[in-house]
Amino acid sequence: MRKAARTTALVILILVLVGAVGGACFIGFAFWFDGWYPAVETRSSMEDVAASLREEWQTELPQDGELVYFRHVYDFHGHGHEYGVIRYDAQPTAWLSGLSYGSDDRLEQFTSAQMQVMENSMDESIPQEYAIDWEDGYYFRMTQSGDERFFLTLVYDNEQSLCYVMRSF
């Protein structure tokens, strides 16, 4: 009877130790992975944004713009949102011909909801000067992936010559 009790106690002790070591390894990996995959990225370039849209969405952006604001928020799975604002000196007329023009309540609601999700992820607001002004006339295009989990939204503010690029991935 004593031998069975000792064996049981030994098995329980081993299971507790294995669980503790395994849990510690998992937590250590999670902290390492979180540090390796930062949650918010604030720096990028016009070339980076244009290249990712070209590769992932087969979308060309006019290259003569200046990236004036960029936020990239993602989780440890690598999914997330990007929000960028590009200023153009001259209206990219040829490029705009591929976009729709006018107001779209569905686009405004969807984009506003996604900005809220992004702001919640960042724990801060997108500065007002980089938020979309829905009062100005705008061109737009919204594209969703085949499984509808990911999207790309382009909004060009005609009055301010600003292009807002928002995507989820």
Side-chain angles (χ1 to χ4, degrees):
M1 188 75 155
R2 279 186 166 184
K3 189 172 185 178
R6 282 185 184 173
T7 303
T8 302
L10 185 59
V11 168
I12 291 173
L13 179 63
I14 289 172
L15 289 175
V16 168
L17 288 174
V18 167
V21 170
C25 288
F26 177 77
I27 290 170
F29 175 77
F31 280 120
W32 170 81
F33 193 73
D34 188 47
W36 181 66
Y37 242 127
V40 178
E41 179 182 322
T42 58
R43 294 175 294 148
S44 193
S45 69
M46 178 66 195
E47 293 79 21
D48 294 337
V49 172
S52 78
L53 293 183
R54 188 177 322 107
E55 292 168 15
E56 297 170 25
W57 291 94
Q58 293 72 48
T59 297
E60 292 290 333
L61 283 178
Q63 294 293 310
D64 57 341
E66 173 192 4
L67 187 66
V68 294
Y69 180 80
F70 181 80
R71 288 303 252 190
H72 177 159
V73 180
Y74 48 94
D75 62 17
F76 66 92
H77 295 295
H79 299 289
H81 305 276
E82 268 184 11
Y83 183 81
V85 181
I86 302 166
R87 176 174 291 124
Y88 290 98
D89 290 332
Q91 185 183 53
T93 308
W95 180 72
L96 292 176
S97 66
L99 278 63
S100 299
Y101 183 80
S103 65
D104 185 320
D105 291 337
R106 186 181 70 94
L107 173 72
E108 291 178 31
Q109 290 174 355
F110 179 78
T111 303
S112 297
Q114 290 302 318
M115 286 176 67
Q116 186 64 46
V117 167
M118 176 173 270
E119 289 177 342
N120 290 342
S121 300
M122 294 187 311
D123 293 329
E124 64 182 73
S125 297
I126 294 170
Q128 188 60 38
E129 67 263 27
Y130 301 120
I132 300 171
D133 182 0
W134 297 110
E135 300 298 317
D136 291 344
Y138 58 88
Y139 290 85
F140 67 93
R141 187 176 91 202
M142 189 158 89
T143 308
Q144 286 187 298
S145 63
D147 61 7
E148 297 185 1
R149 293 185 310 152
F150 308 117
F151 68 89
L152 169 66
T153 303
L154 301 171
V155 177
Y156 180 82
D157 184 324
N158 204 32
E159 304 296 317
Q160 300 182 51
S161 297
L162 294 175
C163 180
Y164 303 90
V165 179
M166 179 181 284
R167 71 182 187 119
S168 74
F169 47 92

